[in-house]
Amino acid sequence: IRRFAIRVVDVIDTNAPVRGEPLPVELMNTRYADRDGVRDALADADQLTAWLRAIAGRAEIADLTGAGPVADETALGEFRALRDALRALAAQVTGDQRPIARTATDAVAASAVVSRASALAPSWRELVWAAEPRTSTRTGGPATSAVLSRIADAAAVLFGWAARERLRACLAPGCV
């Protein structure tokens, strides 16, 4: 999945392409193709941890990740489910009929996955009053769930508004 321009950004400890796209697009791009075939950058919890650390500096989640959350099998399943739901929605929006782009999930079921993930770990801003007042983000769950929730929330905005029309399927040979 890509948007208008591809901006290559350094890949940090992950084999997933990280291009500076909106986080829902970055998550969709954790399934990608190279010369050796289709790859899954979320094959295990360690790879999810590496991907989370690679995106940890992004403004919309930086205050949730600190040094970078450590993923477990539960988080891995949640991120994969959200990724598959987002890919199903993107295929619907872009009209991509290729089997590799589609999942068995329909758009209604996929939107339910996004909504559940968005509500998974609510977060809120806390005012820290000190010599230099600042805000800090708190969460009612693990950092991985809070990041997942933020990505799902961004996906709801992306797919729920006209911005979805900016999505384009990558139709290059081997692209997924």
Side-chain angles (χ1 to χ4, degrees):
I1 304 298
R2 66 179 174 86
R3 282 190 333 140
F4 294 117
I6 294 179
R7 298 173 303 276
V8 177
V9 176
D10 290 335
V11 176
I12 304 169
D13 292 325
T14 182
N15 56 1
V18 177
R19 294 189 169 100
E21 296 288 347
L23 286 173
V25 175
E26 296 282 19
L27 180 58
M28 287 185 272
N29 284 338
T30 61
R31 175 151 298 166
Y32 64 98
D34 64 14
R35 292 174 195 246
D36 297 321
V38 177
R39 302 286 185 190
D40 184 353
L42 303 183
D44 59 37
D46 289 340
Q47 288 184 347
L48 173 57
T49 297
W51 184 77
L52 289 168
R53 289 183 175 156
I55 64 166
R58 301 283 291 270
E60 59 270 45
I61 60 166
D63 56 348
L64 292 170
T65 57
V70 176
D72 59 15
E73 291 301 315
T74 300
L76 178 63
E78 292 167 341
F79 273 87
R80 283 178 170 171
L82 180 60
R83 176 188 63 192
D84 292 346
L86 296 178
R87 290 179 65 84
L89 292 171
Q92 174 85 20
V93 166
T94 63
D96 192 346
Q97 297 297 317
R98 295 172 303 151
I100 193 73
R102 301 191 74 72
T103 65
T105 308
D106 68 17
V108 173
S111 65
V113 170
V114 172
S115 295
R116 279 193 305 276
S118 188
L120 190 59
S123 59
W124 60 94
R125 293 200 187 279
E126 180 177 80
L127 179 61
V128 178
W129 199 260
E132 184 69 31
R134 62 180 173 79
T135 61
S136 176
T137 300
R138 307 270 302 185
T139 181
T144 53
S145 295
V147 172
L148 182 80
S149 180
R150 287 265 175 98
I151 293 171
D153 186 64
V157 171
L158 174 67
F159 287 106
W161 294 87
R164 70 181 168 269
E165 301 303 323
R166 295 177 62 191
L167 286 173
R168 300 287 183 266
C170 176
L171 300 175
C175 192
V176 297

